Amino acid sequence: MAIIDENIQFDADKLTGCVVGIAADIGKHDSGMHQHKKGQLLYAPQGCISFALENSICILPPTKAVWIPPYTQHRAIMTNVVAYRSLYFNCSVFECPTSITMIEVETLLKALIDKMAHWEWCKPEREMKNTTALFWEEFYAANRLSFQLPLPSDRRLKTFCQQVIKESYLVPPLTQIAHSSGASTKTITRLFKAETGMSYQDWRQQWRLLKAIELLSREMQVCDVADWLEFSSDSAFIAFFKKQTGQTPLSFIKGHTVTPN
């Protein structure tokens, strides 16, 4: 069985195959924070998946795949994903990446992922060998992307870090987060610079970009995204998005091929 839904209990670590694939049909879903003994490749042809990691957040837009190394704490949140593909690898058998890695999924790699996701869990390993070898060749040749944003670890920002992964949370201006955390604006700026490598203003801009990509991936209208993210106008949002990605929001909606600079 490779096709699962929300009613099927699945644990890749209980299966002995060196490659385990699933094709899942799940709508709204929150995995909760968890980890696997196996490495995981996750790919959603449609929709957008949000991730919370121990010290960062990231999103997985359509046409992208993310590699999650073994024993990496993560939480996947899906709000409107119709289908996704997931492959689990025994990393003692394969040469797997040791860090979170996001890639562009081209036609051949997409076909390989889809094929492997539908393999029966009892499939003999000798029958998987050639396809798996081609998969890794394509994986390492794929364009690398980054839709990941580091989080600060200071205790004064603990509530903020818990809220930021929530679907409806809008990251506030500097003065507001300073007030809610009981710290000065200078302190917040210093903490973000020291712990994320960015000032709070720069961090917030990157968050707005990731959130915009997430909302556009849900096929939200450009004007609604601009309003939700509190841009002064649609044109201000379009200019911001194009500066950050090289594409207009409308181009992204049509092609889902955005690559941040």
Side-chain angles (χ1 to χ4, degrees):
M1 167 101 67
I3 300 175
I4 68 171
D5 59 29
E6 60 268 22
N7 298 316
I8 294 177
Q9 295 296 318
F10 171 77
D11 185 349
D13 292 331
K14 291 183 178 179
L15 300 172
T16 59
C18 63
V19 182
V20 175
I22 60 171
D25 291 314
I26 295 177
K28 202 163 188 177
H29 176 67
D30 185 339
S31 71
M33 194 65 78
H34 68 289
Q35 62 181 359
H36 308 287
K37 295 178 183 177
K38 292 182 171 72
Q40 179 185 12
L41 181 103
L42 183 60
Y43 169 63
Q46 296 177 330
C48 189
I49 301 176
S50 301
F51 282 93
L53 305 169
E54 282 188 308
N55 57 0
S56 65
I57 56 174
C58 65
I59 62 166
L60 183 64
T63 76
K64 315 297 184 281
V66 64
W67 170 261
I68 304 170
Y71 302 104
T72 300
Q73 287 281 343
H74 63 283
R75 173 187 175 193
I77 301 171
M78 308 173 196
T79 55
N80 64 340
V81 175
V82 176
Y84 72 87
R85 308 287 180 258
S86 194
L87 305 177
Y88 300 86
F89 295 84
N90 182 337
C91 291
S92 65
V93 176
F94 303 101
E95 185 177 341
C96 303
T98 57
S99 59
I100 294 283
T101 305
M102 191 172 292
I103 60 169
E104 185 80 47
V105 177
E106 301 291 354
T107 303
L108 178 54
L109 187 55
K110 179 179 182 297
L112 291 167
I113 293 171
D114 196 61
K115 178 180 180 179
M116 296 165 73
H118 285 87
W119 277 346
E120 293 293 335
W121 296 336
C122 59
K123 189 177 181 68
E125 293 186 8
R126 67 180 182 277
E127 296 179 10
M128 299 189 286
K129 183 178 179 181
N130 291 339
T131 300
T132 304
L134 182 56
F135 163 84
W136 283 114
E137 180 180 339
E138 290 298 305
F139 177 93
Y140 281 111
N143 291 331
R144 295 290 188 271
L145 305 165
S146 179
F147 292 96
Q148 190 171 349
L149 192 60
L151 290 173
S153 58
D154 190 275
R155 59 178 178 77
R156 285 166 287 188
L157 297 169
K158 181 179 179 180
T159 300
F160 169 81
C161 292
Q162 291 172 339
Q163 291 176 320
V164 77
I165 192 61
K166 294 180 179 179
E167 179 185 355
S168 60
Y169 185 69
L170 180 63
V171 170
L174 176 60
T175 53
Q176 189 173 330
I177 188 175
H179 176 75
S180 63
S181 64
S184 68
T185 56
K186 287 184 178 180
T187 297
I188 296 298
T189 298
R190 177 179 56 78
L191 288 174
F192 268 83
K193 189 69 174 178
E195 298 182 357
T196 72
M198 292 176 275
S199 68
Y200 180 73
Q201 289 90 334
D202 289 342
W203 188 96
R204 183 172 180 250
Q205 287 292 75
Q206 287 300 303
W207 177 87
R208 292 173 100 189
L209 175 62
L210 293 188
K211 195 66 179 182
I213 292 170
E214 177 187 335
L215 297 174
L216 291 169
S217 297
R218 296 186 206 165
E219 301 183 352
M220 185 182 285
Q221 294 297 311
V222 172
C223 60
D224 293 330
V225 176
D227 182 64
W228 198 94
L229 291 172
E230 297 184 347
F231 279 86
S232 58
S233 65
D234 295 355
S235 59
F237 168 63
I238 293 169
F240 162 80
F241 194 89
K242 188 172 183 179
K243 180 181 178 181
Q244 296 294 325
T245 68
Q247 288 184 286
T248 64
L250 187 59
S251 296
F252 170 74
I253 291 172
K254 289 180 178 179
H256 296 299
T257 56
V258 62
T259 302
N261 294 330

